[in-house]
Amino acid sequence: MICAPLAEPTLEAARRAMLRAAQRADLVEVRLDRLDALPRAEELAAFLKDRPCPVIVTNRPKEQGGGQDWPDDVRIKTLQAAIELGADYVDVELDLADRIEERHRTRLIISYHNYTTTPLDLPNIYSRIVRLGADVVKIVTTANSIVDNLRMFEVLRHAEVPCIGLCMGEAGRISRILCRKFGGLLTFAPMDPSHETAPGQVPLDELIGRYHYRSINSDTAVYGVIGDPIGHSISPHIHNAAFRAAGINAVYLPLWVPGDVCTFIEAYRGLPMAGYSITIPHKESAMGALDDIEPICRQIGAVNTVVNRQGRLHGSNTDWSAATEAIEAALDGEPLAGKRVALVGAGGTARALAFGLRARDASVCIYNRTAEKARALAEEVGCEWAGLDALAESESDVLAHTTSVGMHPNTEDSIVPDSALRPGMVVFDAVYNPVYTRLLRQAAEAGCTTATGLDMFVNQAVQQFKTWTEQDAPRELMEAVAREYLAAAQ
Ligand code: NAP
């Protein structure tokens, strides 16, 4: 179930919010501690009368995340009044649970909150709450690391009494989506971010629209993109839409891993995860946690795709093949073999592409601002190199730009001189935000054929989808979702 928290200053505002929320959520939680003043019994009665959906009544003290510090006696009295008025659920904190005398037909949620950590003894906390006679156990802790969520999932997996188990904070966000897979009774999702009542809640639209929360069940395969930062990744938008369109029971999550990626991957083997995309800064170090790695990844020194094959984690790299595929499409059937390629940049993307171009038998020259880096990469790959100044006189069939120059917001920047561009050349830019960079506009004016960073991005997502599902990806949809996201991000 999805519960929309109502954190309004008056009951009248909460009533209006409840009418809206009931159209999408299964129930609402009215937070009496967020009201400007405690309601009188008749006001509460009016609120509960003719309610369009079940209601949880909560009156949290400040030290447990509440908005007001009303004395315990007063809080308990209001909760008891809500029970007398027939509220569907009343939420009372663990330490005061034995002060509720009568519960009639109201279901009692007994809750534990921890605003600093996710304690190791969650099973004991669960048992204590059950012994107090809870109709619903609620345990909400703080995830200091994404690994903390795993302990909460274990509680949900083994719970015999209906249980709400969630982790707060950015690192706990995935618990608010995945709780359903492990049998959690509900998740809290505000109608918009300003209605958030605990850190890390996923807004209702996002939960339903992006993560398809209502379709998640115990069989749902879990994928995700590992990175730091990860909040603005396009990948969850693309892959969740693709899974949905292909009728695949899977969810794709942003996985924020600021620390050691190998520790994370090892810990999540037990979930189990079906596959990963891996992005900055973990493409190199993640290799240490995998069982099998494709040979070209060892040369490149990076993986960006992981698939779980019967418990073995297999790593591959779609960056190089996605970029060469984008260039090959622009070459319109002509092979890359023998083509003279000016590769601009010597960072991570250049490295993947350099080995990819060599695998395609292209003749590569690497140009970079720091000439020493161009030389070092060229020596490893076995190709030519030069400083950026030499680009003006370069004579190539293909120019592949892999630096971040031209990326939003510096959209008028380009390090490629017009003299390096000739009619009939193919020009590829790895930058995808904006899609039509200054360089690609220069190239179009010079009569070159262009390949965009978005082409590469969609290619790698399509290849990942195929690796994970062994099905063809809904490419057009994935590209449309990416374009929509980028347009909204401007
Ligand atoms: P990176 O490893 O940090 O490499 C950065 C490269 O850019 C280096 O060669 C650096 O030169 C050069 N550079 C940076 N600022 C420069 C400037 N002002 N003038 C000249 N050269 C400059 O970065 P990366 O991970 O390869 O990413 C590069 C770009 O590719 C980013 O825009 C990223 O978004 C994009 N990308 C796109 C895709 C896709 O799917 N389309 C995938 C991955 C990355 P020095 O060595 O001299 O510092």
Side-chain angles (χ1 to χ4, degrees):
M1 291 193 290
I2 300 176
C3 178
L6 308 177
E8 302 288 345
T10 65
L11 267 189
E12 178 48 27
R15 193 186 64 79
R16 288 196 301 269
M18 169 167 65
L19 292 177
R20 273 199 304 125
Q23 293 171 16
R24 305 201 73 195
D26 303 294
L27 71 168
V28 296
E29 178 190 41
V30 59
R31 290 289 299 263
L32 301 183
D33 55 278
R34 298 297 179 100
L35 300 175
D36 290 340
L38 259 188
R40 286 175 285 120
E42 54 273 28
E43 289 170 320
L44 198 53
F47 176 83
L48 290 170
K49 190 167 170 283
D50 300 331
R51 56 192 181 272
C53 62
V55 173
I56 302 174
V57 179
T58 301
N59 197 354
R60 194 85 64 227
K62 260 193 179 156
E63 94 268 0
Q64 295 199 42
Q68 299 271 7
D69 248 345
W70 289 313
D72 288 350
D73 285 351
V74 175
R75 287 194 304 109
I76 291 294
K77 211 169 139 198
T78 341
L79 293 179
Q80 198 68 64
I83 291 172
E84 302 299 328
L85 291 166
D88 304 276
Y89 298 88
V90 157
D91 179 329
V92 64
E93 299 75 35
L94 176 56
D95 52 331
L96 291 184
D98 58 0
R99 308 254 311 257
I100 297 288
E101 284 163 4
E102 280 292 341
R103 62 177 83 169
H104 303 299
R105 295 173 64 188
T106 299
R107 278 158 287 178
L108 194 63
I109 302 173
I110 301 182
S111 58
Y112 167 88
H113 293 85
N114 190 318
Y115 276 82
T116 54
T117 187
T118 299
L120 293 174
D121 63 341
L122 290 184
N124 291 341
I125 295 167
Y126 169 85
S127 302
R128 263 173 72 201
I129 296 178
V130 171
R131 281 200 299 277
L132 285 165
D135 297 304
V136 175
V137 174
K138 181 178 175 193
I139 304 178
V140 179
T141 62
T142 298
N144 293 313
S145 142
I146 192 163
V147 173
D148 289 345
N149 295 295
L150 293 173
R151 289 207 301 285
M152 193 61 82
F153 296 151
E154 281 308 297
V155 171
L156 291 177
R157 252 199 251 256
H158 294 109
E160 286 172 353
V161 172
C163 187
I164 303 167
L166 301 165
C167 290
M168 292 183 284
E170 192 51 39
R173 254 172 94 81
I174 67 163
S175 72
R176 299 182 178 277
I177 302 165
L178 282 189
C179 56
R180 195 176 153 99
K181 176 176 169 72
F182 302 106
L185 180 69
L186 60 83
T187 192
F188 293 92
M191 282 182 289
D192 69 64
S194 66
H195 289 203
E196 185 181 274
T197 51
Q201 285 174 349
V202 180
L204 195 63
D205 280 346
E206 201 176 311
L207 194 69
I208 295 174
R210 190 178 313 161
Y211 298 108
H212 312 297
Y213 179 79
R214 294 194 189 284
S215 309
I216 294 176
N217 57 32
S218 57
D219 295 330
T220 301
V222 185
Y223 297 86
V225 53
I226 310 175
D228 174 31
I230 205 63
H232 295 290
S233 171
I234 314 183
S235 298
H237 298 256
I238 297 182
H239 284 295
N240 282 311
F243 287 141
R244 182 80 168 175
I248 292 170
N249 183 6
V251 66
Y252 183 103
L253 304 169
L255 302 167
W256 179 48
V257 180
D260 175 16
V261 70
C262 294
T263 304
F264 163 79
I265 292 175
E266 277 309 319
Y268 270 71
R269 275 182 191 260
L271 194 78
M273 291 294 295
Y276 294 110
S277 308
I278 301 183
T279 188
I280 291 167
H282 298 310
K283 288 186 184 187
E284 295 84 17
S285 45
M287 291 170 72
L290 306 182
D291 303 307
D292 309 300
I293 294 173
E294 284 185 359
I296 194 162
C297 301
R298 296 233 180 260
Q299 291 178 324
I300 297 171
V303 290
N304 76 335
T305 308
V306 176
V307 60
N308 183 340
R309 294 194 178 130
Q310 282 90 46
R312 288 188 72 79
L313 298 180
H314 178 93
S316 56
N317 190 311
T318 59
D319 279 337
W320 74 268
S321 46
T324 50
E325 196 179 304
I327 295 168
E328 280 163 342
L331 282 169
D332 204 17
E334 280 185 60
L336 257 169
K339 290 271 185 281
R340 296 165 303 168
V341 181
L343 179 58
V344 186
T349 309
R351 189 176 170 82
L353 190 48
F355 282 102
L357 289 166
R358 199 187 66 174
R360 292 281 190 270
D361 288 327
S363 162
V364 180
C365 182
I366 299 170
Y367 298 85
N368 194 46
R369 176 178 63 180
T370 310
E372 181 50 34
K373 283 198 206 162
R375 188 179 67 81
L377 180 57
E379 277 176 8
E380 267 192 79
V381 178
C383 69
E384 303 287 306
W385 65 276
L388 212 46
D389 306 346
L391 193 57
E393 283 84 48
S394 67
E395 290 202 355
S396 52
D397 306 306
V398 175
L399 184 141
H401 171 256
T402 66
T403 85
S404 47
V405 174
M407 206 166 99
H408 184 78
N410 303 313
T411 54
E412 287 310 308
D413 292 356
S414 166
I415 48 171
V416 178
D418 287 335
S419 61
L421 307 172
R422 284 175 294 102
M425 270 176 76
V426 165
V427 176
F428 163 73
D429 196 344
V431 172
Y432 59 82
N433 184 16
V435 178
Y436 296 104
T437 57
R438 165 87 192 274
L439 168 61
L440 293 185
R441 284 180 275 130
Q442 277 174 270
E445 268 174 41
C448 310
T449 306
T450 57
T452 69
L454 184 66
D455 296 331
M456 173 183 171
F457 191 85
V458 174
N459 287 347
Q460 63 82 23
V462 162
Q463 291 175 18
Q464 289 187 328
F465 185 96
K466 177 117 192 178
T467 303
W468 294 329
T469 65
E470 295 173 6
Q471 290 184 31
D472 287 335
R475 188 196 166 90
E476 278 176 27
L477 170 82
M478 292 165 91
E479 181 169 342
V481 171
R483 280 188 190 279
E484 193 182 327
Y485 177 90
L486 289 170
Q490 292 304 307

